[in-house]
Amino acid sequence: MADESHEQSSRAVVLTLAALAAAGWLAAGFVWWQGGQTQSFLTEQLTTAERARESLASDLQNLEKTAGGAADLKKQAADAEKALSEASTARASAQNELADLTKQISDARLAISGAQEEASAKTRDLQAVDSRLKDENDRAATLQSQDQALSAELGRLQSDAEAARKALADAQTQTTSTQKEFEALQGQVNSATAELNALQAQIRTAKPETGSNPHP
């Protein structure tokens, strides 16, 4: 149960880190896309301003060629200078915004790079832990297999010992029975020996009497 919980927590951490990395990439993509859109818009504005400046300069030259009065030329020139100044200001503002956006994109890239490095480090740590856990599981399985083998051997030895005890009990029972039979036979032998001795005594007693009587 502890190994399964650890594997589940490791997978959850890996999935979380992967989700964070994906979110970072999506954020970077959005910032990059927004920066591209803004940059395109600012480029168009700069192009429009540049065209307006060129058009005003061309108009100013045409006015200088075609206008007859000095006052009109001065007024038109002042208007052209004002339009050119406004275009230059808009261009400078657009350049500043572009610089800020470029800095934001660079910061976002650095943040994403740091998050990816941290996620890679966490993934390597988890892989190392999983490897150690696998080794411990393999060793535990080996020990369990050895324990099962020893248990089986112990059971076999116990069975053999039980069989040996039963055989010994049977032998002891048979020995007791044989001993009783032997004792019974010994009693019979003793009884027979006593009878034989009695007969031999009678025979010895009877012999002298037989020898003293003369034959007819």
Side-chain angles (χ1 to χ4, degrees), residues 195-209:
E195 291 178 359
L196 179 62
N197 290 332
L199 291 172
Q200 288 177 350
Q202 291 177 2
I203 292 171
R204 284 193 299 269
T205 302
K207 281 183 179 180
E209 295 177 355

Side-chain angles (χ1 to χ4, degrees), residues 137-150:
N137 288 334
D138 292 340
R139 190 167 73 177
T142 301
L143 292 175
Q144 186 177 5
S145 178
Q146 293 176 355
D147 182 67
Q148 291 175 352
L150 290 174

Side-chain angles (χ1 to χ4, degrees), residues 107-128:
D107 293 340
R109 286 179 178 176
L110 290 175
I112 293 172
S113 177
Q116 287 179 337
E117 291 178 358
E118 184 177 359
S120 298
K122 294 294 184 183
T123 301
R124 288 192 297 269
D125 293 340
L126 287 174
Q127 289 175 348

Side-chain angles (χ1 to χ4, degrees), residues 20-33:
L20 290 174
W25 276 112
L26 290 175
F30 176 75
V31 173
W32 182 264
W33 175 81

Side-chain angles (χ1 to χ4, degrees), residues 139-175:
R139 190 167 73 177
T142 301
L143 292 175
Q144 186 177 5
S145 178
Q146 293 176 355
D147 182 67
Q148 291 175 352
L150 290 174
S151 298
E153 182 67 17
L154 180 60
R156 187 183 65 79
L157 292 175
Q158 288 177 346
S159 179
D160 292 343
E162 184 65 26
R165 283 195 295 269
K166 184 178 180 181
L168 178 60
D170 293 340
Q172 288 176 346
T173 302
Q174 186 175 2
T175 300

Side-chain angles (χ1 to χ4, degrees), residues 73-94:
L73 288 175
K74 286 182 179 181
K75 184 178 183 301
Q76 292 176 3
D79 293 338
E81 289 293 336
K82 182 179 179 183
L84 181 61
S85 177
E86 290 176 354
S88 298
T89 301
R91 181 179 180 181
S93 178

